[in-house]
Amino acid sequence: MLNIEHRNYIKVPASIVYEVLTSSKGLGEIWTKKLDVQAKEGYINIFDFDEGYLTKMKILRLEPNSTIVWECIASDEQWVGTGVSFELTEKDQITTVVLKHTNWRELTDFYQWCNYNWALFLQRLKIYCEKQHDF
């Protein structure tokens, strides 16, 4: 199994990053505006990227300001059965975000493309959080 892992540092408290990653407003600004999202364990978040299918992520775990864990239950076949997690730690109002996309079955072009796009996702998250909450 292969994993994608990225780390970024965002100059805002973890509570702000958590709110962006668990809300329709936040994810709509950094991922896709076509979505149905709730911050509730067991809920199935739905994302539409205009690719002819919906991406559905079941929320397995939410620990406020700390951990978000999703399981992909519908999407591109290479995503189904994979997990996405965000681990947040804060020190001196700087939040470290570790994003993991785990349980890829093989190294493919799509895996490499997604790896690149997760890095862009974290960059958009950083820019959005810091711009919206300038201290």
Side-chain angles (χ1 to χ4, degrees):
M1 294 287 180
L2 300 169
N3 298 327
I4 294 170
E5 295 190 26
H6 292 283
R7 174 183 302 263
N8 206 351
Y9 303 94
I10 303 176
K11 296 176 184 174
V12 298
S15 60
I16 292 170
V17 178
Y18 182 85
E19 174 65 25
V20 171
L21 291 172
T22 58
S23 69
S24 292
K25 180 177 179 356
L27 287 168
E29 291 295 327
I30 64 170
W31 214 16
T32 181
K33 295 200 181 294
K34 295 180 179 181
L35 49 80
D36 177 7
V37 170
Q38 288 190 24
K40 183 169 71 173
E41 285 185 6
Y43 192 79
I44 298 173
N45 288 338
I46 300 173
F47 303 96
D48 185 348
F49 299 99
D50 292 323
E51 294 175 331
Y53 55 84
L54 298 175
T55 295
K56 297 180 180 181
M57 298 285 195
K58 183 176 182 179
I59 301 173
L60 299 182
R61 197 163 116 217
L62 292 175
E63 293 179 22
N65 311 328
S66 172
T67 306
I68 301 161
V69 179
W70 299 336
E71 175 189 11
C72 183
I73 61 170
S75 188
D76 179 278
E77 66 181 45
Q78 292 181 59
W79 271 35
V80 175
T82 64
V84 175
S85 66
F86 303 91
E87 298 168 12
L88 312 177
T89 55
E90 180 185 337
K91 183 177 180 183
D92 301 326
Q93 291 197 345
I94 297 174
T95 301
T96 300
V97 180
V98 176
L99 179 153
K100 297 179 183 177
H101 191 165
T102 59
N103 297 324
W104 286 78
R105 291 176 284 288
E106 60 184 319
L107 177 62
T108 63
D109 291 347
F110 188 61
Y111 168 91
Q112 293 172 322
W113 182 76
C114 289
N115 192 347
Y116 168 78
N117 278 283
W118 278 125
L120 294 177
F121 174 93
L122 280 184
Q123 185 64 19
R124 287 190 305 272
L125 176 65
K126 176 181 176 64
I127 291 167
Y128 178 74
C129 287
E130 291 179 356
K131 181 178 177 186
Q132 295 301 311
H133 304 283
D134 196 10
F135 288 92

